[in-house]
Amino acid sequence: MPQLNGGGGDDLGANDEMISFKDEGEQEEKISENVSAERDLDDLKSSLVNESENNSSSSDSEQAERRPQRRPDLESYEKARDYFSEALRRQQDGGFFKSPHYPGYPFLMIPDLSNPYLSNGALSPSARTYLQMKWPILDVPGSAGLKDSRSPTPGHLSNKVPVVQHAHHVHPLTPLITYSNEHFSPGTPPSHLSPEILDPKTGIPRTPHPSELSPYYPLSPGAVGSIAHPLGWLMPQQGQPMYSIPPGGFRHPYPALAMNASMSSLVSSRFSPHMVSPPPHGLHQTGIPHPAIVSPGIKQEPHDMSPSMHAKSPVPPKKEEDKRPHIKKPLNAFMLYMKEMRAKVVAECTLKESAAINQILGRRWHSLSREEQAKYYELARKERQLHSQLYPGWSARDNYGKRKKRKRDNKPDSKPEDFSIRSKKQCVQYLPSEKMCDSPASSHGSMLDSPATPSAALASPAAPAATHSEQAQPLSLTTKPEGRMHHHFSLAGKASGSSSSSSSSSSSSSSSHSHSHLSIPIGTSGSHSTPILSRPIPFTSLHHSMLSPPSPYHQAALHSHHALFQSQPLSLVTKHND
DNA sequence: CGTCCTTTGAAGACA
DNA sequence: TGTCTTCAAAGGACG
């Protein structure tokens, strides 16, 4: 089922997964997001509970009940989200978006995806034009010139698309949408979002004719900058800052959910008030508010703001007069995912703490299929490109030091004993027993799989596999050595493991952790899966890989990760196996 | 009020 | 080149 809308149920097409994971079987369908989420939550909660006090076994039941709502705004978010989801579903059923060639980007087809950076209606004509030009790309993802080297044949992609095991109502790509229009800028035609391309002049949706568009495809620079905008096809009709949000603004992450004209009409009445928000602050040179820009006045980042830090970026997006706004880093794949899914998770559980939520999200991330992750990687890549185009001179370094130093001083000097030092609580705190769940990965997983994860560690939530062993190791509780342990698995290279997060690392270092990995040398399904398979893989992951070998596309996106895998020493295998 | 927590990933800084 | 650190989001918790 190539298309997202999936054939199976309107539930989002997670069917593919269903196929993949027999364990879950059809239940999966029913299970749907809630269940998976609950599962996660259960784990989390129970763990939390247990940890702090074993008081309740009731956690399960507790979570079962959906929290009514936490905050008004949140509520609205949720509603909006649901609403949109519903609309999307309907529309999908209706066949609004008939099968994009590349299943991976079903929603991307929707023009209205807002662009995180360029927002709103302020979109200049040229920008729109640009948008149009880019669309074709979506139509022919495979070939089009995506540098990703994704498979040329859409078909093949479509076949494999496995995807979604945990049913999310929201497509993973929605994060983009997120950026979108939280508010319409005044004067901007409600162009929203229709799958069709809007005529730049008329603003009327029209279906682009390939022939007319293709010529533009390679798009020469100039339209937006010197380089074709990578996200051109994502250009929002109305934008909204993804990064900077007006303090009082409507922050719903999903407001913009991909919608087409019909959808917009549906919701417009409902949300328009919210969507109309004060003009964005950080305007790009072009006058377009950029989400990544945080104007000093707004205070989006409580921490930074010191004038000195403000972007020394050689090429301040804004005029100097504006004081250099703080330009945020582009979001990475996981961040995009988080952004999208957070609300969902939050809505499904009573947990409020972001740390806990993030843990869940982290696990879910690992449980995503490669394709799904690939989408996010791709999105992130585009974001980076876009960001670089918008802020040519910007560098991550500009933001360094803006946030006070975070934890971690764990300098190397700290000995094992030290790690306990950490002022705060241990990692376990949040995810003590996270074991069961879905992703084996999360904790140490990150070390092993993480970067590579995309390919490997995607365990299905349901999958029985790897679970038991690793669980919470008692020690892990105490420790969480901030980190280090990299060495052991440094193979990951700079890969994710690096980050101080290391929580996982600690456990792994002990090696005790054991994922039940299968070190089966399979090669089965995939012609190429080998690299991945060559190393121990969580059962579920394995399953995954077998079903869906890395596609060229995926490889491109994640190729680096693969490399990592390949390089993985066998030692790992031995490690766990015992 | 500021920072921590927590996640992954990207990128800068450093050895 | 490899390792380590920061920051990105988010929002409750904590000092």
PDB file of all heavy atoms in Angstrom, chain A residues 52-80:
ATOM      1  N   SER A  52       9.003   5.200  42.095  1.00  0.00           N
ATOM      2  CA  SER A  52       8.809   6.116  43.178  1.00  0.00           C
ATOM      3  C   SER A  52       8.075   5.448  44.294  1.00  0.00           C
ATOM      4  O   SER A  52       8.405   5.549  45.441  1.00  0.00           O
ATOM      5  CB  SER A  52       8.023   7.284  42.703  1.00  0.00           C
ATOM      6  OG  SER A  52       6.910   6.816  42.034  1.00  0.00           O
ATOM      7  N   GLU A  53       7.114   4.767  43.957  1.00  0.00           N
ATOM      8  CA  GLU A  53       6.375   4.075  44.978  1.00  0.00           C
ATOM      9  C   GLU A  53       5.640   3.012  44.286  1.00  0.00           C
ATOM     10  O   GLU A  53       5.064   3.190  43.281  1.00  0.00           O
ATOM     11  CB  GLU A  53       5.388   5.022  45.527  1.00  0.00           C
ATOM     12  CG  GLU A  53       4.955   5.867  44.412  1.00  0.00           C
ATOM     13  CD  GLU A  53       4.171   6.984  44.969  1.00  0.00           C
ATOM     14  OE1 GLU A  53       3.430   6.769  45.866  1.00  0.00           O
ATOM     15  OE2 GLU A  53       4.279   8.063  44.507  1.00  0.00           O
ATOM     16  N   ASN A  54       5.631   1.915  44.826  1.00  0.00           N
ATOM     17  CA  ASN A  54       4.989   0.886  44.086  1.00  0.00           C
ATOM     18  C   ASN A  54       3.562   0.972  44.316  1.00  0.00           C
ATOM     19  O   ASN A  54       2.867   0.033  44.275  1.00  0.00           O
ATOM     20  CB  ASN A  54       5.420  -0.446  44.548  1.00  0.00           C
ATOM     21  CG  ASN A  54       5.936  -0.341  45.839  1.00  0.00           C
ATOM     22  OD1 ASN A  54       6.498   0.606  46.076  1.00  0.00           O
ATOM     23  ND2 ASN A  54       5.838  -1.228  46.678  1.00  0.00           N
ATOM     24  N   ASN A  55       3.123   1.927  44.623  1.00  0.00           N
ATOM     25  CA  ASN A  55       1.761   1.977  44.921  1.00  0.00           C
ATOM     26  C   ASN A  55       0.909   1.448  43.826  1.00  0.00           C
ATOM     27  O   ASN A  55       0.061   0.747  43.970  1.00  0.00           O
ATOM     28  CB  ASN A  55       1.329   3.351  45.207  1.00  0.00           C
ATOM     29  CG  ASN A  55       1.593   4.144  44.076  1.00  0.00           C
ATOM     30  OD1 ASN A  55       1.874   3.620  43.042  1.00  0.00           O
ATOM     31  ND2 ASN A  55       1.517   5.382  44.210  1.00  0.00           N
ATOM     32  N   SER A  56       0.898   1.797  42.797  1.00  0.00           N
ATOM     33  CA  SER A  56      -0.190   1.360  42.087  1.00  0.00           C
ATOM     34  C   SER A  56       0.039   0.544  40.949  1.00  0.00           C
ATOM     35  O   SER A  56       0.704   0.770  40.058  1.00  0.00           O
ATOM     36  CB  SER A  56      -0.747   2.460  41.507  1.00  0.00           C
ATOM     37  OG  SER A  56       0.194   2.943  40.917  1.00  0.00           O
ATOM     38  N   SER A  57      -0.690  -0.422  40.990  1.00  0.00           N
ATOM     39  CA  SER A  57      -0.652  -1.265  39.841  1.00  0.00           C
ATOM     40  C   SER A  57      -1.672  -0.671  38.926  1.00  0.00           C
ATOM     41  O   SER A  57      -1.876  -1.071  37.827  1.00  0.00           O
ATOM     42  CB  SER A  57      -1.078  -2.610  40.247  1.00  0.00           C
ATOM     43  OG  SER A  57      -2.187  -2.482  41.053  1.00  0.00           O
ATOM     44  N   SER A  58      -2.337   0.168  39.480  1.00  0.00           N
ATOM     45  CA  SER A  58      -3.448   0.704  38.725  1.00  0.00           C
ATOM     46  C   SER A  58      -3.006   1.571  37.581  1.00  0.00           C
ATOM     47  O   SER A  58      -3.790   2.034  36.809  1.00  0.00           O
ATOM     48  CB  SER A  58      -4.276   1.572  39.630  1.00  0.00           C
ATOM     49  OG  SER A  58      -3.462   2.608  40.078  1.00  0.00           O
ATOM     50  N   SER A  59      -1.794   1.736  37.547  1.00  0.00           N
ATOM     51  CA  SER A  59      -1.332   2.679  36.546  1.00  0.00           C
ATOM     52  C   SER A  59      -1.970   2.388  35.219  1.00  0.00           C
ATOM     53  O   SER A  59      -2.308   3.267  34.476  1.00  0.00           O
ATOM     54  CB  SER A  59       0.158   2.577  36.395  1.00  0.00           C
ATOM     55  OG  SER A  59       0.475   1.274  35.989  1.00  0.00           O
ATOM     56  N   ASP A  60      -2.094   1.149  34.983  1.00  0.00           N
ATOM     57  CA  ASP A  60      -2.629   0.807  33.691  1.00  0.00           C
ATOM     58  C   ASP A  60      -3.989   1.388  33.484  1.00  0.00           C
ATOM     59  O   ASP A  60      -4.267   2.048  32.511  1.00  0.00           O
ATOM     60  CB  ASP A  60      -2.762  -0.693  33.573  1.00  0.00           C
ATOM     61  CG  ASP A  60      -1.390  -1.274  33.500  1.00  0.00           C
ATOM     62  OD1 ASP A  60      -0.456  -0.504  33.250  1.00  0.00           O
ATOM     63  OD2 ASP A  60      -1.248  -2.440  33.699  1.00  0.00           O
ATOM     64  N   SER A  61      -4.771   1.090  34.401  1.00  0.00           N
ATOM     65  CA  SER A  61      -6.130   1.534  34.237  1.00  0.00           C
ATOM     66  C   SER A  61      -6.120   3.042  34.159  1.00  0.00           C
ATOM     67  O   SER A  61      -6.796   3.659  33.369  1.00  0.00           O
ATOM     68  CB  SER A  61      -6.931   1.133  35.439  1.00  0.00           C
ATOM     69  OG  SER A  61      -6.338   1.687  36.570  1.00  0.00           O
ATOM     70  N   GLU A  62      -5.319   3.509  34.960  1.00  0.00           N
ATOM     71  CA  GLU A  62      -5.272   4.947  35.039  1.00  0.00           C
ATOM     72  C   GLU A  62      -4.993   5.543  33.689  1.00  0.00           C
ATOM     73  O   GLU A  62      -5.628   6.450  33.231  1.00  0.00           O
ATOM     74  CB  GLU A  62      -4.118   5.297  35.938  1.00  0.00           C
ATOM     75  CG  GLU A  62      -3.809   6.718  35.905  1.00  0.00           C
ATOM     76  CD  GLU A  62      -2.604   6.916  36.746  1.00  0.00           C
ATOM     77  OE1 GLU A  62      -2.335   6.073  37.575  1.00  0.00           O
ATOM     78  OE2 GLU A  62      -1.947   7.928  36.569  1.00  0.00           O
ATOM     79  N   GLN A  63      -4.009   4.984  33.136  1.00  0.00           N
ATOM     80  CA  GLN A  63      -3.657   5.604  31.899  1.00  0.00           C
ATOM     81  C   GLN A  63      -4.705   5.369  30.882  1.00  0.00           C
ATOM     82  O   GLN A  63      -4.860   6.114  29.955  1.00  0.00           O
ATOM     83  CB  GLN A  63      -2.486   4.946  31.384  1.00  0.00           C
ATOM     84  CG  GLN A  63      -3.032   3.688  30.957  1.00  0.00           C
ATOM     85  CD  GLN A  63      -2.076   3.140  30.029  1.00  0.00           C
ATOM     86  OE1 GLN A  63      -1.064   3.258  30.212  1.00  0.00           O
ATOM     87  NE2 GLN A  63      -2.338   2.575  29.047  1.00  0.00           N
ATOM     88  N   ALA A  64      -5.339   4.303  31.072  1.00  0.00           N
ATOM     89  CA  ALA A  64      -6.307   3.950  30.078  1.00  0.00           C
ATOM     90  C   ALA A  64      -7.244   5.097  29.887  1.00  0.00           C
ATOM     91  O   ALA A  64      -7.640   5.440  28.793  1.00  0.00           O
ATOM     92  CB  ALA A  64      -7.085   2.753  30.541  1.00  0.00           C
ATOM     93  N   GLU A  65      -7.578   5.646  30.918  1.00  0.00           N
ATOM     94  CA  GLU A  65      -8.519   6.738  30.776  1.00  0.00           C
ATOM     95  C   GLU A  65      -7.786   7.884  30.172  1.00  0.00           C
ATOM     96  O   GLU A  65      -6.719   8.205  30.540  1.00  0.00           O
ATOM     97  CB  GLU A  65      -8.908   7.169  32.141  1.00  0.00           C
ATOM     98  CG  GLU A  65      -7.647   7.401  32.894  1.00  0.00           C
ATOM     99  CD  GLU A  65      -7.869   8.401  33.921  1.00  0.00           C
ATOM    100  OE1 GLU A  65      -8.953   8.886  33.983  1.00  0.00           O
ATOM    101  OE2 GLU A  65      -6.975   8.712  34.644  1.00  0.00           O
ATOM    102  N   ARG A  66      -8.370   8.478  29.281  1.00  0.00           N
ATOM    103  CA  ARG A  66      -7.671   9.556  28.697  1.00  0.00           C
ATOM    104  C   ARG A  66      -7.800  10.753  29.514  1.00  0.00           C
ATOM    105  O   ARG A  66      -8.840  11.092  29.976  1.00  0.00           O
ATOM    106  CB  ARG A  66      -8.289   9.885  27.415  1.00  0.00           C
ATOM    107  CG  ARG A  66      -7.535   9.195  26.498  1.00  0.00           C
ATOM    108  CD  ARG A  66      -8.143   8.607  25.671  1.00  0.00           C
ATOM    109  NE  ARG A  66      -7.270   7.942  24.820  1.00  0.00           N
ATOM    110  CZ  ARG A  66      -7.314   8.264  23.633  1.00  0.00           C
ATOM    111  NH1 ARG A  66      -7.977   9.176  23.336  1.00  0.00           N
ATOM    112  NH2 ARG A  66      -6.657   7.639  22.817  1.00  0.00           N
ATOM    113  N   ARG A  67      -6.794  11.396  29.644  1.00  0.00           N
ATOM    114  CA  ARG A  67      -6.888  12.569  30.435  1.00  0.00           C
ATOM    115  C   ARG A  67      -7.713  13.522  29.657  1.00  0.00           C
ATOM    116  O   ARG A  67      -7.575  13.687  28.495  1.00  0.00           O
ATOM    117  CB  ARG A  67      -5.562  13.152  30.627  1.00  0.00           C
ATOM    118  CG  ARG A  67      -5.116  13.686  29.431  1.00  0.00           C
ATOM    119  CD  ARG A  67      -3.792  14.169  29.610  1.00  0.00           C
ATOM    120  NE  ARG A  67      -3.750  15.234  30.497  1.00  0.00           N
ATOM    121  CZ  ARG A  67      -2.803  15.331  31.341  1.00  0.00           C
ATOM    122  NH1 ARG A  67      -1.944  14.418  31.404  1.00  0.00           N
ATOM    123  NH2 ARG A  67      -2.725  16.316  32.111  1.00  0.00           N
ATOM    124  N   PRO A  68      -8.547  14.090  30.345  1.00  0.00           N
ATOM    125  CA  PRO A  68      -9.455  15.032  29.738  1.00  0.00           C
ATOM    126  C   PRO A  68      -8.721  16.129  29.037  1.00  0.00           C
ATOM    127  O   PRO A  68      -8.875  16.379  27.891  1.00  0.00           O
ATOM    128  CB  PRO A  68     -10.197  15.620  30.903  1.00  0.00           C
ATOM    129  CG  PRO A  68      -9.727  14.943  32.112  1.00  0.00           C
ATOM    130  CD  PRO A  68      -8.652  13.969  31.745  1.00  0.00           C
ATOM    131  N   GLN A  69      -7.935  16.720  29.745  1.00  0.00           N
ATOM    132  CA  GLN A  69      -7.174  17.756  29.107  1.00  0.00           C
ATOM    133  C   GLN A  69      -6.360  18.442  30.119  1.00  0.00           C
ATOM    134  O   GLN A  69      -6.694  18.530  31.247  1.00  0.00           O
ATOM    135  CB  GLN A  69      -8.091  18.774  28.564  1.00  0.00           C
ATOM    136  CG  GLN A  69      -8.728  19.457  29.674  1.00  0.00           C
ATOM    137  CD  GLN A  69     -10.046  19.927  29.197  1.00  0.00           C
ATOM    138  OE1 GLN A  69     -10.665  19.316  28.454  1.00  0.00           O
ATOM    139  NE2 GLN A  69     -10.512  20.987  29.600  1.00  0.00           N
ATOM    140  N   ARG A  70      -5.323  18.900  29.709  1.00  0.00           N
ATOM    141  CA  ARG A  70      -4.466  19.575  30.619  1.00  0.00           C
ATOM    142  C   ARG A  70      -4.640  21.021  30.571  1.00  0.00           C
ATOM    143  O   ARG A  70      -4.875  21.693  31.487  1.00  0.00           O
ATOM    144  CB  ARG A  70      -3.068  19.396  30.241  1.00  0.00           C
ATOM    145  CG  ARG A  70      -2.575  18.326  30.486  1.00  0.00           C
ATOM    146  CD  ARG A  70      -1.380  18.174  29.710  1.00  0.00           C
ATOM    147  NE  ARG A  70      -1.586  17.643  28.485  1.00  0.00           N
ATOM    148  CZ  ARG A  70      -2.488  16.776  28.268  1.00  0.00           C
ATOM    149  NH1 ARG A  70      -3.203  16.396  29.191  1.00  0.00           N
ATOM    150  NH2 ARG A  70      -2.657  16.286  27.129  1.00  0.00           N
ATOM    151  N   ARG A  71      -4.550  21.527  29.493  1.00  0.00           N
ATOM    152  CA  ARG A  71      -4.626  22.954  29.418  1.00  0.00           C
ATOM    153  C   ARG A  71      -5.532  23.298  28.277  1.00  0.00           C
ATOM    154  O   ARG A  71      -5.753  22.557  27.407  1.00  0.00           O
ATOM    155  CB  ARG A  71      -3.270  23.513  29.113  1.00  0.00           C
ATOM    156  CG  ARG A  71      -2.353  23.069  30.142  1.00  0.00           C
ATOM    157  CD  ARG A  71      -1.154  23.794  29.935  1.00  0.00           C
ATOM    158  NE  ARG A  71      -0.777  23.754  28.570  1.00  0.00           N
ATOM    159  CZ  ARG A  71       0.448  23.494  28.247  1.00  0.00           C
ATOM    160  NH1 ARG A  71       1.289  23.242  29.168  1.00  0.00           N
ATOM    161  NH2 ARG A  71       0.782  23.518  27.027  1.00  0.00           N
ATOM    162  N   PRO A  72      -6.038  24.407  28.437  1.00  0.00           N
ATOM    163  CA  PRO A  72      -6.951  24.861  27.415  1.00  0.00           C
ATOM    164  C   PRO A  72      -6.301  24.834  26.061  1.00  0.00           C
ATOM    165  O   PRO A  72      -6.844  24.343  25.114  1.00  0.00           O
ATOM    166  CB  PRO A  72      -7.224  26.290  27.801  1.00  0.00           C
ATOM    167  CG  PRO A  72      -6.479  26.557  29.035  1.00  0.00           C
ATOM    168  CD  PRO A  72      -5.750  25.337  29.451  1.00  0.00           C
ATOM    169  N   ASP A  73      -5.190  25.364  26.015  1.00  0.00           N
ATOM    170  CA  ASP A  73      -4.610  25.475  24.699  1.00  0.00           C
ATOM    171  C   ASP A  73      -4.303  24.102  24.197  1.00  0.00           C
ATOM    172  O   ASP A  73      -4.458  23.772  23.050  1.00  0.00           O
ATOM    173  CB  ASP A  73      -3.340  26.298  24.735  1.00  0.00           C
ATOM    174  CG  ASP A  73      -2.389  25.716  25.738  1.00  0.00           C
ATOM    175  OD1 ASP A  73      -2.907  25.172  26.712  1.00  0.00           O
ATOM    176  OD2 ASP A  73      -1.180  25.784  25.547  1.00  0.00           O
ATOM    177  N   LEU A  74      -3.865  23.327  25.107  1.00  0.00           N
ATOM    178  CA  LEU A  74      -3.508  22.003  24.700  1.00  0.00           C
ATOM    179  C   LEU A  74      -4.726  21.332  24.160  1.00  0.00           C
ATOM    180  O   LEU A  74      -4.723  20.609  23.187  1.00  0.00           O
ATOM    181  CB  LEU A  74      -3.029  21.239  25.907  1.00  0.00           C
ATOM    182  CG  LEU A  74      -1.925  20.311  25.483  1.00  0.00           C
ATOM    183  CD1 LEU A  74      -1.341  19.672  26.682  1.00  0.00           C
ATOM    184  CD2 LEU A  74      -2.386  19.374  24.468  1.00  0.00           C
ATOM    185  N   GLU A  75      -5.749  21.563  24.868  1.00  0.00           N
ATOM    186  CA  GLU A  75      -6.979  20.950  24.466  1.00  0.00           C
ATOM    187  C   GLU A  75      -7.284  21.328  23.041  1.00  0.00           C
ATOM    188  O   GLU A  75      -7.650  20.507  22.209  1.00  0.00           O
ATOM    189  CB  GLU A  75      -8.092  21.448  25.341  1.00  0.00           C
ATOM    190  CG  GLU A  75      -9.410  20.928  24.896  1.00  0.00           C
ATOM    191  CD  GLU A  75     -10.482  21.538  25.738  1.00  0.00           C
ATOM    192  OE1 GLU A  75     -10.167  22.460  26.489  1.00  0.00           O
ATOM    193  OE2 GLU A  75     -11.612  21.085  25.644  1.00  0.00           O
ATOM    194  N   SER A  76      -7.158  22.561  22.840  1.00  0.00           N
ATOM    195  CA  SER A  76      -7.499  23.005  21.510  1.00  0.00           C
ATOM    196  C   SER A  76      -6.594  22.333  20.517  1.00  0.00           C
ATOM    197  O   SER A  76      -6.993  21.968  19.441  1.00  0.00           O
ATOM    198  CB  SER A  76      -7.341  24.508  21.399  1.00  0.00           C
ATOM    199  OG  SER A  76      -6.004  24.848  21.588  1.00  0.00           O
ATOM    200  N   TYR A  77      -5.387  22.152  20.919  1.00  0.00           N
ATOM    201  CA  TYR A  77      -4.458  21.521  19.997  1.00  0.00           C
ATOM    202  C   TYR A  77      -4.987  20.172  19.645  1.00  0.00           C
ATOM    203  O   TYR A  77      -5.022  19.764  18.526  1.00  0.00           O
ATOM    204  CB  TYR A  77      -3.129  21.259  20.677  1.00  0.00           C
ATOM    205  CG  TYR A  77      -2.410  22.493  21.024  1.00  0.00           C
ATOM    206  CD1 TYR A  77      -1.309  22.447  21.833  1.00  0.00           C
ATOM    207  CD2 TYR A  77      -2.841  23.717  20.533  1.00  0.00           C
ATOM    208  CE1 TYR A  77      -0.629  23.573  22.154  1.00  0.00           C
ATOM    209  CE2 TYR A  77      -2.151  24.852  20.852  1.00  0.00           C
ATOM    210  CZ  TYR A  77      -1.062  24.774  21.674  1.00  0.00           C
ATOM    211  OH  TYR A  77      -0.362  25.890  21.988  1.00  0.00           O
ATOM    212  N   GLU A  78      -5.315  19.500  20.680  1.00  0.00           N
ATOM    213  CA  GLU A  78      -5.730  18.145  20.456  1.00  0.00           C
ATOM    214  C   GLU A  78      -6.937  18.097  19.583  1.00  0.00           C
ATOM    215  O   GLU A  78      -7.053  17.296  18.676  1.00  0.00           O
ATOM    216  CB  GLU A  78      -6.037  17.474  21.766  1.00  0.00           C
ATOM    217  CG  GLU A  78      -4.780  17.347  22.603  1.00  0.00           C
ATOM    218  CD  GLU A  78      -5.093  16.781  23.938  1.00  0.00           C
ATOM    219  OE1 GLU A  78      -6.262  16.427  24.139  1.00  0.00           O
ATOM    220  OE2 GLU A  78      -4.197  16.700  24.771  1.00  0.00           O
ATOM    221  N   LYS A  79      -7.810  18.960  19.899  1.00  0.00           N
ATOM    222  CA  LYS A  79      -9.023  18.959  19.112  1.00  0.00           C
ATOM    223  C   LYS A  79      -8.703  19.250  17.674  1.00  0.00           C
ATOM    224  O   LYS A  79      -9.193  18.610  16.767  1.00  0.00           O
ATOM    225  CB  LYS A  79      -9.984  20.004  19.626  1.00  0.00           C
ATOM    226  CG  LYS A  79     -10.594  19.562  20.926  1.00  0.00           C
ATOM    227  CD  LYS A  79     -11.630  20.552  21.356  1.00  0.00           C
ATOM    228  CE  LYS A  79     -12.307  20.116  22.628  1.00  0.00           C
ATOM    229  NZ  LYS A  79     -13.315  21.074  23.050  1.00  0.00           N
ATOM    230  N   ALA A  80      -7.923  20.221  17.578  1.00  0.00           N
ATOM    231  CA  ALA A  80      -7.589  20.610  16.221  1.00  0.00           C
ATOM    232  C   ALA A  80      -6.958  19.443  15.532  1.00  0.00           C
ATOM    233  O   ALA A  80      -7.255  19.129  14.401  1.00  0.00           O
ATOM    234  CB  ALA A  80      -6.618  21.763  16.249  1.00  0.00           C
TER     235      ALA A  80
END
